[in-house]
Amino acid sequence: MSEASEGRAETEAAGAAEPYDALVARLERVVGELESGQLTLEQSIERFAEGVRLAKEASRKLDDAERRVELLVRGADGDDEAVPFEPEGGRGP
């Protein structure tokens, strides 16, 4: 594995464990850095790639939250009930 892909994997692993709000704060910081015009081309490309990864992870967390809400609101018999959410690959409805 190359150094760049190792760094990307570490960033993705950290992002998966990071709360949504922290991901958005990091994304806002990256956007600010990109908009500052102070970065070299290489730094800009690196920050842009980081921003894309952060946006994807934040989007994934939002999708997970939406599925959780749907499970809580919609029961099998049409009545409202709380069903524990299990991520893909886990036990769940």
Side-chain angles (χ1 to χ4, degrees):
M1 183 180 287
S2 73
E3 189 174 311
S5 61
E6 284 179 17
R8 190 175 325 127
E10 288 175 12
T11 300
E12 289 172 357
E18 201 166 356
Y20 174 79
D21 292 341
L23 287 171
V24 171
R26 285 180 55 201
L27 182 57
E28 289 174 345
R29 189 186 74 235
V30 167
V31 170
E33 290 172 357
L34 286 168
E35 290 178 340
S36 75
Q38 303 291 316
L39 302 175
T40 65
L41 175 62
E42 291 77 19
Q43 290 171 325
S44 294
I45 291 170
E46 186 177 305
R47 291 293 186 275
F48 182 80
E50 181 182 0
V52 168
R53 286 191 298 273
L54 291 168
K56 285 181 180 178
E57 183 58 26
S59 177
R60 188 191 64 76
K61 287 184 182 276
L62 279 177
D63 290 343
D64 288 348
E66 184 177 312
R67 281 193 295 271
R68 269 193 233 166
V69 169
E70 287 175 1
L71 289 173
L72 289 169
V73 174
R74 193 176 334 137
D77 59 358
D79 293 334
D80 295 344
E81 64 182 58
V83 178
F85 173 78
E86 295 289 337
E88 289 183 31
R91 300 175 314 168

